[in-house]
Amino acid sequence: MDAKDILGLPKTPLTVPQEKKSRPQKDSQRKPDGISREVYALTGGLAPLMPAVDVSQLKRRPQSDEKVTWQWLPFTSSARTDNLQLYHWVRVVNGVPPTGDYSFAKYNKSVNVVKYTDEEYEKYLTDPTWTREETDQLFELCERFDLRFIVIADRFPSSRTVEDLKNRYYNVSRAILVARAASPGDVSGHPLVKEPYNVSQEIERKRALSMILSQTKQQERKDAEVLAEAKRITEARIAARSAEESDMPVASNVSPESNEKNIIPVETVSPSSNVQIPPTTVAPPTSTADNLSTLNSLRGMRVYLRTYALEQMVQAASSSAGLRTIKRVEQTLQDLGVNLKPKVPTKSVCAEHLELRKEILTLLNLQKQLQYKEAEGSSHRDGSYAETPGTPKRSQRAGEQDRTFIPDSISFGGERVGKRDQKRKAPAPPSPAQSKRPRKLKASD
Amino acid sequence: MPHTPSLSSSRNQSDVSESAVKLQRLVMGRSTDDPEKKIPNRRLKDVEICVPISYGTISFWLGRKASESQSHKWTVFVRGATNEDLGVVIRRAVFQLHPSFNNPMRVLDSPPFELSESGWGEFEIAITLYFHSDVCDKQLDLFHHLKLYPEDESGPQSTKKPVVVESYNEIVFPDPLDSFFARVKDHPAVIVPRLPASFNLPAPVPIENAKEKKRGDTKDHPLNQWFVNFSEADELLKLATARQQVQAHIVKLRRQLSVIDGLPRPLKPASDE
């Protein structure tokens, strides 16, 4: 209709055909054919792009000119060596039974185990620990059992380990391969030649696996502990190393090893204390690795702006805090009347600002701790939800109530005497809360 | 004296690797009683030289003389926060203006680092500061949004009162070269820490065009009545008050926590403080 408006076409003569059109249109929108309306709605109201199954195939019936019968007929399989004849049902079309080999015969694969002649054996394959008969037996078993060495080891007349058998087999195969090859280069790509069987490694590997498999729960726990400890130690070492590099105390110039890149040897051996410059107090580096690394990176820059330095330090200090905590810090700053970014970012102002942010973080952490403790405690009382100490910040109070709500509902069960409305967010009903009111601290400074 | 032999040997080597010296953090060694044997171009560890600056724009409405394309006359500048001469530190300032300007890249090789233009639109000006060779070989980028129209749109614009937006900041040079330090340590534009008296610095060598006729400071600048006076005292006071409040809170919460921890469970709620 709008299009027609834009085009300036008259509307009235079209009303009659429009009515007719709109009705079948609405029908098709409402109910697509083939599936019911509700099912169609499940797909999101849109037809699938491609039919998953070709619907036309489902109801296809066999062509009328074919005559199909099923017959109980004998068959042979090329996979068998004994000419056994078995019977099975066969689909016969127009009196013509199907031709061809048994359809599953193609799955009868076997390993091609090498076959050596006597002279080859004499020339390449003799081994002090293996007799000719044993080797022959081994190979026969290999062929019979398709290189399933566990079975072969079981069947082997003299007791030999699986690794031993494997070793012999692979050595022989490799020797034959190399001997028969026209040139060594031809076979160098063959996996047998490229990666020879390593007996000792295999034995070790299997031993290690069995050890792990048979580990008791205790041992597992101990292992995990040791790993965690190791991780902690490496992390501490990394932090310590970065601290070392950053400080690079004057004393370190005495030992040339600490300055890896420094070609110039120590200029003086005099005691460091005399020469030490009283360090200008940048925000005193805290023990956390974050702050240290930020300071280092700042020192590494040849020039930077004070605001940039502050940003980096703030980021480092709040690196462990989530987004919500950071927002709360900023909200607190605003409530205290402090600019989020100082208007006059001098050194001391930035230092103070940073310290303030850290203190606010501490404050928020303490508040959270207190909430949890109180929630724990309140779960043992028949009172209502714990009321956390009020803070001057409204927004936080609402958030705090939210949070104490959850631990209460988890730990409560059916202890509560009165009725409890799980969905209620308002403060607790009057009577049990009376005892709580005096607890509510008003931080009226 | 045990120092002398090591000193001379290291001096030779330091000559050789002087270029490498700039990239490495060497430690100050103690010079001997021989003042001429100072080793040049060492970096002062744990020292930072700080240059407080203020940069921004001042924009006047042209009133009757305004045209469609030139409704405001504005000046963008970088000045010392106390209006001292920044030429000791800054060698060149490049202002990158909107491409619709002629020659949008304006280069200033001497203080005062400012330029005036007329136009109608607000845009971001990129300011790049280049420093003298003994100061720093890296450039520093600043960005400032040119503001022509005042915050409150009420009332007609005045040709007398400009729209001023200035930002205070400090350029920090960590671990500066001792020659740089020696050169600027007494200059009012720069804040340097106090070094112990026993410190031996090279004799200050003024930079090339020391015979500048033009004064680089902005103390008598025509626009200086509009310059913002930045005082950290206000901010410090606010921060100190805020910190006190927060600390008091923390103490309170800690006390509460310890009370709760001290109590056996289950119990009635801990008494109010």
Side-chain angles (χ1 to χ4, degrees):
Chain A
M1 291 258 264
D2 300 314
K4 300 220 166 74
D5 258 338
I6 294 168
L7 288 173
L9 292 176
K11 298 179 211 164
T12 39
L14 297 168
T15 46
V16 171
Q18 257 182 359
E19 271 175 36
K20 286 205 190 129
K21 266 196 223 149
S22 63
R23 239 181 284 130
Q25 263 175 10
K26 273 169 88 181
D27 273 344
S28 64
Q29 255 186 1
R30 262 215 237 120
K31 188 172 168 286
D33 47 325
I35 50 179
S36 75
R37 186 164 39 105
E38 286 83 9
V39 178
Y40 188 69
L42 279 178
T43 64
L46 290 170
L49 291 172
M50 243 174 69
V53 176
D54 190 11
V55 187
S56 55
Q57 290 284 344
L58 291 175
K59 295 243 176 160
R60 194 183 59 150
R61 298 192 201 283
Q63 303 167 13
S64 42
D65 55 340
E66 284 180 355
K67 211 169 73 135
V68 171
T69 54
W70 284 88
Q71 293 178 13
W72 182 251
L73 295 177
F75 71 96
T76 53
S77 166
S78 60
R80 295 200 72 91
T81 49
D82 49 5
N83 292 328
L84 174 66
Q85 214 185 47
L86 297 171
Y87 290 78
H88 66 187
W89 286 107
V90 170
R91 185 172 184 266
V92 177
V93 181
N94 289 341
V96 179
T99 53
D101 194 10
Y102 182 52
S103 60
F104 296 105
K106 62 182 183 273
Y107 297 117
N108 189 39
K109 301 280 187 199
S110 58
V111 183
N112 27 348
V113 172
V114 288
K115 294 234 175 340
Y116 44 81
T117 62
D118 288 344
E119 8 170 315
E120 280 179 326
Y121 188 90
E122 296 302 312
K123 263 168 69 176
Y124 312 110
L125 307 176
T126 52
D127 187 291
T129 50
W130 281 80
T131 64
R132 175 71 199 267
E133 293 87 34
E134 279 198 309
T135 313
D136 286 345
Q137 276 176 333
L138 169 64
F139 270 76
E140 195 224 335
L141 283 176
C142 280
E143 174 139 9
R144 187 161 148 220
F145 289 116
D146 291 328
L147 291 192
R148 288 185 206 148
F149 282 99
I150 309 285
V151 180
I152 294 169
D154 190 57
R155 293 266 171 146
F156 204 70
S158 53
S159 68
R160 286 209 182 238
T161 62
V162 175
E163 291 84 31
D164 209 11
L165 296 170
K166 278 196 189 176
N167 196 25
R168 181 64 176 151
Y169 172 77
Y170 288 126
N171 282 339
V172 165
S173 306
R174 192 162 91 252
I176 294 282
L177 206 61
V178 169
R180 289 184 188 166
S183 74
D186 284 347
V187 279
S188 58
H190 197 277
L192 265 179
V193 176
K194 251 199 332 196
E195 289 142 30
Y197 184 72
N198 188 338
V199 190
S200 47
Q201 197 183 49
E202 282 294 298
I203 296 177
E204 266 311 300
R205 182 179 67 90
K206 289 187 183 168
R207 193 174 66 83
L209 275 174
S210 69
M211 262 178 55
I212 291 182
L213 190 61
S214 55
Q215 240 185 9
T216 62
K217 266 235 162 87
Q218 257 189 352
Q219 276 183 317
E220 263 185 55
R221 253 183 279 131
K222 278 201 202 134
D223 278 349
E225 277 173 38
V226 169
L227 282 172
E229 191 61 44
K231 198 166 163 218
R232 250 179 283 138
I233 291 175
T234 45
E235 279 176 5
R237 280 222 195 103
I238 291 174
R241 212 178 300 136
S242 71
E244 242 179 51
E245 280 170 14
S246 80
D247 283 356
M248 271 229 279
V250 183
S252 78
N253 67 356
V254 180
S255 51
E257 70 196 34
S258 53
N259 283 339
E260 333 86 358
K261 300 203 192 101
N262 197 351
I263 330 157
I264 302 173
V266 164
E267 291 168 328
T268 166
V269 197
S270 67
S272 50
S273 47
N274 303 359
V275 185
Q276 188 104 43
I277 304 155
T280 56
T281 48
V282 190
T286 62
S287 53
T288 59
D290 272 337
N291 269 324
L292 269 172
S293 63
T294 326
L295 280 175
N296 294 344
S297 69
L298 284 173
R299 281 239 202 91
M301 304 176 62
R302 281 282 163 246
V303 60
Y304 57 86
L305 283 172
R306 187 73 68 193
T307 48
Y308 173 79
L310 180 62
E311 274 170 36
Q312 296 292 308
M313 299 294 292
V314 165
Q315 228 177 35
S318 18
S319 59
S320 57
L323 192 57
R324 191 143 58 121
T325 320
I326 295 177
K327 290 231 156 37
R328 286 175 72 194
V329 170
E330 296 185 348
Q331 181 66 45
T332 315
L333 281 171
Q334 280 179 348
D335 292 338
L336 290 165
V338 170
N339 299 317
L340 286 179
K341 292 197 174 170
K343 284 271 179 299
V344 189
T346 64
K347 193 173 177 138
S348 37
V349 166
C350 289
E352 284 287 304
H353 189 98
L354 186 65
E355 289 307 305
L356 178 61
R357 276 192 185 243
K358 288 192 199 160
E359 281 166 7
I360 293 179
L361 271 174
T362 316
L363 179 70
L364 294 179
N365 280 337
L366 282 177
Q367 275 180 349
K368 216 187 331 184
Q369 273 183 42
L370 198 57
Q371 278 172 26
Y372 285 156
K373 287 268 162 77
E374 297 205 337
E376 268 177 28
S378 76
S379 68
H380 293 271
R381 302 179 213 125
D382 57 351
S384 62
Y385 345 175
E387 292 235 24
T388 59
T391 64
K393 301 127 197 134
R394 297 242 141 197
S395 55
Q396 300 206 344
R397 197 174 291 144
E400 284 150 18
Q401 278 188 340
D402 265 355
R403 232 168 288 122
T404 55
F405 191 81
I406 298 155
D408 261 316
S409 59
I410 293 173
S411 51
F412 247 2
E415 274 177 59
R416 187 115 145 62
V417 175
K419 272 184 254 167
R420 184 190 174 87
D421 183 357
Q422 292 277 344
K423 296 209 184 98
R424 222 162 8 127
K425 300 239 167 166
S431 41
Q434 288 298 355
S435 57
K436 295 265 189 282
R437 289 275 160 74
R439 291 198 71 239
K440 196 157 138 183
L441 289 177
K442 294 235 178 347
S444 47
D445 333 23
Chain B
M1 293 274 270
H3 296 296
T4 334
S6 62
L7 211 51
S8 51
S9 64
S10 53
R11 188 158 53 117
N12 291 336
Q13 286 175 310
S14 74
D15 285 340
V16 166
S17 51
E18 215 172 67
S19 53
V21 166
K22 286 208 171 172
L23 302 167
Q24 291 165 19
R25 279 200 233 132
L26 284 189
V27 177
M28 272 285 284
R30 194 193 353 203
S31 305
T32 63
D33 13 61
D34 209 324
E36 288 122 48
K37 281 218 180 119
K38 286 202 220 338
I39 300 139
N41 286 335
R42 287 174 312 176
R43 289 200 169 268
L44 306 176
K45 224 181 95 55
D46 285 337
V47 173
E48 63 174 41
I49 293 187
C50 160
V51 185
I53 59 167
S54 167
Y55 62 95
T57 52
I58 296 182
S59 143
F60 286 91
W61 183 52
L62 290 175
R64 288 182 300 117
K65 302 191 204 139
S67 67
E68 267 307 312
S69 57
Q70 319 242 320
S71 58
H72 290 73
K73 182 159 159 46
W74 49 267
T75 309
V76 60
F77 57 86
V78 179
R79 65 177 175 91
T82 46
N83 290 316
E84 298 293 346
D85 180 9
L86 288 179
V88 269
V89 173
I90 303 180
R91 164 173 58 95
R92 160 189 297 187
V94 176
F95 295 89
Q96 187 74 34
L97 306 178
H98 193 267
S100 61
F101 279 91
N102 239 344
N103 296 334
M105 184 152 131
R106 307 283 171 93
V107 179
L108 276 118
D109 282 312
S110 67
F113 300 104
E114 62 174 46
L115 76 94
S116 300
E117 261 290 352
S118 47
W120 55 269
E122 301 184 340
F123 58 91
E124 184 174 78
I125 305 175
I127 309 171
T128 313
L129 299 175
Y130 297 88
F131 306 102
H132 291 293
S133 46
D134 64 342
V135 174
C136 174
D137 41 9
K138 280 216 215 141
Q139 67 195 55
L140 185 65
D141 296 310
L142 306 166
F143 298 93
H144 181 85
H145 181 83
L146 168 66
K147 200 154 148 47
L148 301 177
Y149 301 96
E151 275 300 325
D152 58 340
E153 308 189 6
S154 62
Q157 298 178 67
S158 138
T159 51
K160 298 284 185 332
K161 233 173 139 263
V163 174
V164 180
V165 183
E166 276 194 76
S167 313
Y168 175 93
N169 218 319
E170 298 186 341
I171 310 181
V172 182
F173 300 99
D175 295 339
L177 285 173
D178 57 1
S179 47
F180 170 39
F181 191 96
R183 184 163 64 78
V184 300
K185 67 184 191 347
D186 295 318
H187 196 281
V190 173
I191 300 179
V192 296
R194 275 171 46 92
L195 296 186
S198 58
F199 235 71
N200 275 321
L201 293 168
V205 175
I207 40 179
E208 307 85 50
N209 42 13
K211 35 192 165 55
E212 279 281 319
K213 305 285 173 55
K214 195 162 64 143
R215 59 188 285 189
D217 67 300
T218 43
K219 293 206 174 104
D220 292 324
H221 196 276
L223 292 173
N224 72 355
Q225 60 173 304
W226 305 113
F227 287 165
V228 175
N229 207 346
F230 293 101
S231 129
E232 59 171 358
D234 209 23
E235 198 119 33
L236 276 176
L237 185 62
K238 261 197 276 192
L239 283 170
T241 332
R243 280 189 74 182
Q244 262 186 344
Q245 285 190 329
V246 173
Q247 281 161 5
H249 241 117
I250 289 179
V251 166
K252 242 196 277 186
L253 287 183
R254 287 225 163 102
R255 233 183 294 149
Q256 280 183 299
L257 267 175
S258 64
V259 164
I260 290 192
D261 278 340
L263 288 177
R265 312 142 89 219
L267 252 203
K268 285 182 63 156
S271 59
D272 198 349
E273 316 207 6

